[in-house]
Amino acid sequence: MSKKPMSWSETIKLNNRAFSIFFKRYPQMVLSRIISVVWNALTPYVGIRLSALVIDELAGSRDTGRLRFLVLLTLVSAAVIALMSALLNKWKEVQNSGDWWKVNHLFFEKLLDMDYVSRDESKTAELLSIIRQNQSGVGWGLHKVIKGYEELCSSVFTLVGGIALTVFLFVSRVPESAGAYTVLNNPLFIVLMIAVMLMITYVAPVLSNKADSYWALNVKFLNRSNRLYSFFGSLGYHREIATDVRMYRQDRICKNNNQENRENSFGSKGLMAKCGRGPMGLYNAASAAVSVIFTGVVYTFVCLKAWAGAFGLGAVSQYVASITKVSGGMSALISALGGMRNNAAFLVPVFEFLDIPNNMYQGSLSVEKRRDRKYEVEFRNVSFKYPGSENYALRNVNMKFEIGRRLAVVGMNGSGKTTFIKLLCRLYDPTEGEILLNGIDIRKYNYAEYMMIFSVVFQDFRLFALKLGENVACNTAYDREQVMDSLKKSGFSERLSELQDGVETYLYKDYDSNGVNISGGEAQKIAIARALYKDAPFIILDEPTAALDPIAEAEIYSKFNDIAGDKTAIYISHRLSSCKFCDMIVVFHDGAIIQQGTHDSLVADENGKYYELWHAQAQYYTE
Ligand code: ADP
């Protein structure tokens, strides 16, 4: 439990920052909400004032002409107010449609925009998870910000309107003929009355905010509970673990964790229930009781002044109604401020996430679009440590690619093959050394343009549950012929001819019940077609064939030799047989290149790693 609530200056800073983000992006959404609440706060006073005038007229001179005018005015004003409220409401509804999406879009954009290094860090995942869990309950965080400002404006304008209609309650004098009641005119008495009213008005919401503050004070504990609950409580939603859950009865571990979590946090014996039975409950009860006292004091004061002759019947109804509103406005103001302070604690991780810096140097050099696809890449003394890691994943890597050739990168698991590709594609920058494209450090190029020269099929590629054509083109608009051509080259033609809707067929059944399920090998062919459709000068296969047996992998790799055409192709595999046709093979071991050459030259070196690996694996393959 954190010791202190957030300071007011920090509360205002965080809320204002969130407000201005929304206001800049969606000004109409914000304005429609604020203007609506101000309108709704002020307009009830028109009715209150007009009814007071009608009552006074009825109890006083009873002039029928004036009465008719007042009643007509009341009706017309009520109609105009209702009409305007409806119009404002409509505007608000339109501007606020999809507001949940608008908030989540901020996170979505940030995730896509951040450096891959940051995206890959566990701290990022942790922050994201905290934010999402806070949102998923009662919407703590960004979702509550505009609501907070609405409550603030509503309460302030309720107060302003109410005070304007209540001033005369305090300044109107009891006539001297009222005897002892003239004490009500004494300024000291009036100050005392106002002080009592303000005190009660202040105390009620303070007590209720105090009760609510237990949520914010326990934010750390609740963040953790929410995270646990969202993971263990929703295991069934993840299709990719559906087999493991059944095989190992993982539901048991979830059940136990859920139960423990529920008991400790949200259950009847948990922390929040304890708070509810204890201090939270007491504060809430006291707050309700104090509000009733206020009503009693107001009625007594207004009725005494009216009894003594300070004002008429109409004014009684006006003062009672508006002073009750003043009190309500005051409570709402304090409660809005308290709510904003409580929510500010949940804004901290939001801004921590949105402020994750993009530290990767972004150059501006244009990547020359060469017709001859002559791009030369060189690794010069490159070493690399993953952020937060002590060990080198790559050490002193030196190599130059020959354009249009086939390069194979082989080595045992964990030897640095994927890291090598990630550095080549600038997902990470080297810790030491440099990578050059046509003699220039790749950091100096425009990043988006640099990425355009690579097509990589990673080990853990993912296809979307969208149309086959959309998957290949990575776009909703695509060139059908080109998609079919890419699929043909990757060896998917046979399966494609069986698909009823051709390239329009949906993969998986998430969005279309006629969608098709595909095997690991078919998915891999689609992923290769996607790489071909991009038509980049470099094509890289990073063991995307883990789902296939060695023979099938070798078939795909050897076929790929033809498909790659004039492109520079890089193959990564820990299965040596798949790569033996390559022009050059580099052998990685413990993050370093320990051998390079052709298959024949490497296999001839009986003391080399390649020889050892080749013979260890040979038993699995039949020629
Ligand atoms: P390979 O592709 O040859 O199987 P990798 O390039 O994936 O090997 O891994 C090389 C080394 O870097 C391994 O020791 C691995 O544990 C480590 N490593 C890989 N990814 C990360 C990461 N995101 N953070 C920290 N270490 C990593």
Side-chain angles (χ1 to χ4, degrees):
M1 194 160 160
S2 41
K3 297 263 176 337
K4 275 204 282 177
M6 183 168 287
S7 74
W8 282 108
S9 67
E10 190 67 5
T11 300
I12 293 166
K13 211 168 88 190
L14 287 166
N15 276 286
N16 279 352
R17 187 174 163 198
F19 182 88
S20 65
I21 288 178
F22 285 118
F23 191 67
K24 268 193 203 125
R25 284 177 170 242
Y26 309 109
Q28 293 227 42
M29 176 184 105
V30 176
L31 280 178
S32 63
R33 287 173 68 164
I34 301 295
I35 293 176
S36 284
V37 293
V38 171
W39 178 258
N40 291 335
L42 289 179
T43 47
Y45 292 115
V46 176
I48 291 174
R49 180 73 193 128
L50 286 172
S51 356
L53 290 176
V54 171
I55 293 171
D56 271 347
E57 197 55 44
L58 283 171
S61 53
R62 301 169 73 91
D63 175 342
T64 46
R66 193 170 149 72
L67 258 176
R68 202 176 298 131
F69 169 73
L70 284 173
V71 170
L72 199 66
L73 191 60
T74 308
L75 289 177
V76 171
S77 65
V80 171
I81 288 170
L83 182 70
M84 274 303 290
S85 299
L87 288 175
L88 279 173
N89 204 34
K90 179 111 192 83
W91 179 36
K92 190 175 90 171
E93 297 263 301
V94 171
Q95 293 302 328
N96 283 275
S97 59
D99 57 343
W100 193 265
W101 177 85
K102 283 172 182 154
V103 167
N104 285 344
H105 195 67
L106 285 172
F107 299 124
F108 176 69
E109 275 181 353
K110 175 71 189 173
L111 281 167
L112 288 183
D113 178 59
M114 70 172 59
D115 288 343
Y116 179 79
V117 187
S118 313
R119 182 66 190 91
D120 208 26
E121 268 178 25
S122 57
K123 173 80 185 156
T124 308
E126 194 181 325
L127 278 173
L128 201 58
S129 170
I130 289 173
I131 293 166
R132 292 175 71 156
Q133 293 339 308
N134 290 339
Q135 274 184 188
S136 69
V138 278
W140 289 115
L142 282 180
H143 285 281
K144 273 190 184 269
V145 170
I146 303 296
K147 186 98 202 110
Y149 281 90
E150 278 181 296
E151 285 167 5
L152 194 67
C153 289
S154 169
S155 53
V156 166
F157 281 90
T158 301
L159 273 175
V160 169
I163 288 169
L165 289 195
T166 325
V167 169
F168 286 101
L169 164 66
F170 298 100
V171 295
S172 57
R173 296 178 65 82
V174 168
E176 293 308 320
S177 56
Y181 286 107
T182 50
V183 68
L184 295 171
N185 291 335
N186 190 319
L188 266 180
F189 187 82
I190 293 171
V191 169
L192 184 76
M193 274 320 289
I194 294 176
V196 169
M197 285 182 196
L198 282 180
M199 201 180 73
I200 298 175
T201 302
Y202 174 77
V203 168
V206 162
L207 288 170
S208 134
N209 277 350
K210 186 93 187 135
D212 282 350
S213 71
Y214 280 81
W215 289 98
L217 290 173
N218 291 309
V219 64
K220 273 207 176 123
F221 177 82
L222 294 174
N223 278 340
R224 188 174 177 280
S225 300
N226 277 328
R227 288 183 68 193
L228 282 173
Y229 190 68
S230 86
F231 180 72
F232 290 113
S234 66
L235 220 57
Y237 287 101
H238 305 292
R239 188 171 61 188
E240 63 278 13
I241 55 167
T243 46
D244 278 359
V245 168
R246 282 160 182 77
M247 184 59 62
Y248 299 107
R249 291 288 320 274
Q250 284 169 323
D251 54 307
R252 287 175 305 194
I253 189 172
C254 299
K255 204 170 142 198
N256 294 344
N257 269 294
N258 275 336
Q259 197 169 339
E260 194 184 310
N261 188 29
R262 238 192 339 260
E263 278 169 12
N264 289 339
S265 41
F266 307 116
S268 57
K269 290 190 184 128
L271 176 73
M272 292 321 287
K274 249 185 229 159
C275 291
R277 277 195 299 274
M280 266 172 107
L282 279 175
Y283 282 124
N284 272 329
S287 161
V290 164
S291 302
V292 178
I293 299 175
F294 176 85
T295 315
V297 172
V298 167
Y299 267 92
T300 312
F301 182 57
V302 173
C303 290
L304 277 176
K305 275 194 104 163
W307 179 259
F311 39 73
L313 265 187
V316 171
S317 81
Q318 175 182 320
Y319 293 145
V320 168
S322 45
I323 207 165
T324 310
K325 274 197 156 291
V326 169
S327 157
M330 192 66 161
S331 298
L333 176 67
I334 295 163
S335 141
L337 290 172
M340 286 167 99
R341 173 144 84 163
N342 287 337
N343 190 44
F346 295 90
L347 287 176
V348 173
V350 168
F351 288 122
E352 208 178 321
F353 174 78
L354 292 178
D355 288 341
I356 292 174
N358 280 6
N359 289 328
M360 227 178 193
Y361 178 77
Q362 301 275 349
S364 55
L365 266 187
S366 185
V367 175
E368 203 184 340
K369 292 196 178 55
R370 302 183 64 119
R371 282 249 184 105
D372 57 4
R373 293 179 182 266
K374 286 243 177 293
Y375 295 101
E376 191 180 67
V377 174
E378 182 183 354
F379 273 60
R380 211 178 264 174
N381 232 349
V382 170
S383 297
F384 177 69
K385 279 182 194 171
Y386 278 98
S389 170
E390 288 293 303
N391 305 322
Y392 278 100
L394 285 186
R395 271 179 299 118
N396 303 327
V397 171
N398 283 295
M399 72 166 318
K400 219 174 190 170
F401 302 157
E402 289 183 46
I403 305 303
R405 306 295 291 274
R406 310 288 180 251
L407 169 75
V409 179
V410 302
M412 301 206 296
N413 278 338
S415 58
K417 304 184 295 294
T418 299
T419 308
F420 170 73
I421 297 304
K422 285 188 171 164
L423 289 184
L424 174 63
C425 300
R426 245 206 118 190
L427 293 174
Y428 295 98
D429 280 334
T431 315
E432 289 147 36
E434 56 182 356
I435 303 169
L436 310 168
L437 172 71
N438 293 348
I440 297 171
D441 190 324
I442 59 173
R443 281 175 278 218
K444 295 192 176 143
Y445 289 104
N446 173 291
Y447 187 65
E449 281 193 30
Y450 182 72
M451 289 301 253
M452 287 314 291
I453 64 169
F454 296 101
S455 275
V456 189
V457 185
F458 283 108
Q459 287 172 32
D460 52 355
F461 68 85
R462 283 272 184 279
L463 299 175
F464 293 150
L466 295 174
K467 290 176 185 165
L468 174 58
E470 291 175 340
N471 266 290
V472 173
C474 294
N475 204 329
T476 44
Y478 51 86
D479 180 332
R480 280 185 97 244
E481 293 307 313
Q482 211 180 321
V483 166
M484 299 214 317
D485 186 52
S486 304
L487 286 166
K488 192 172 151 206
K489 284 184 180 154
S490 72
F492 195 77
S493 304
E494 212 175 299
R495 183 73 210 273
L496 182 61
S497 63
E498 292 166 9
L499 300 178
Q500 214 179 352
D501 298 323
V503 293
E504 315 277 280
T505 309
Y506 275 83
L507 300 187
Y508 316 113
K509 297 187 185 291
D510 301 40
Y511 303 120
D512 184 357
S513 56
N514 292 324
V516 291
N517 283 321
I518 45 170
S519 70
E522 286 165 347
Q524 193 252 343
K525 286 173 184 167
I526 297 170
I528 291 177
R530 181 172 68 183
L532 290 172
Y533 187 94
K534 186 174 172 186
D535 196 25
F538 283 84
I539 186 147
I540 302 170
L541 297 192
D542 179 6
E543 288 194 278
T545 45
L548 305 182
D549 62 65
I551 309 290
E553 178 181 304
E555 266 171 30
I556 282 171
Y557 273 42
S558 57
K559 189 169 179 300
F560 205 76
N561 200 21
D562 302 329
I563 304 168
D566 63 345
K567 297 180 188 355
T568 303
I570 304 175
Y571 306 97
I572 299 178
S573 183
H574 60 274
R575 290 167 179 162
L576 274 50
S577 64
S578 307
C579 305
K580 74 179 206 200
F581 62 88
C582 286
D583 307 310
M584 179 162 79
I585 298 173
V586 290
V587 184
F588 270 82
H589 189 64
D590 279 347
I593 295 179
I594 52 166
Q595 277 182 293
Q596 37 185 308
T598 61
H599 169 74
D600 291 338
S601 69
L602 290 172
V603 88
D605 178 2
E606 291 188 14
N607 297 320
K609 186 81 187 166
Y610 191 85
Y611 179 90
E612 180 197 321
L613 290 172
W614 178 259
H615 285 281
Q617 294 183 359
Q619 55 178 308
Y620 299 117
Y621 317 128
T622 50
E623 291 294 333

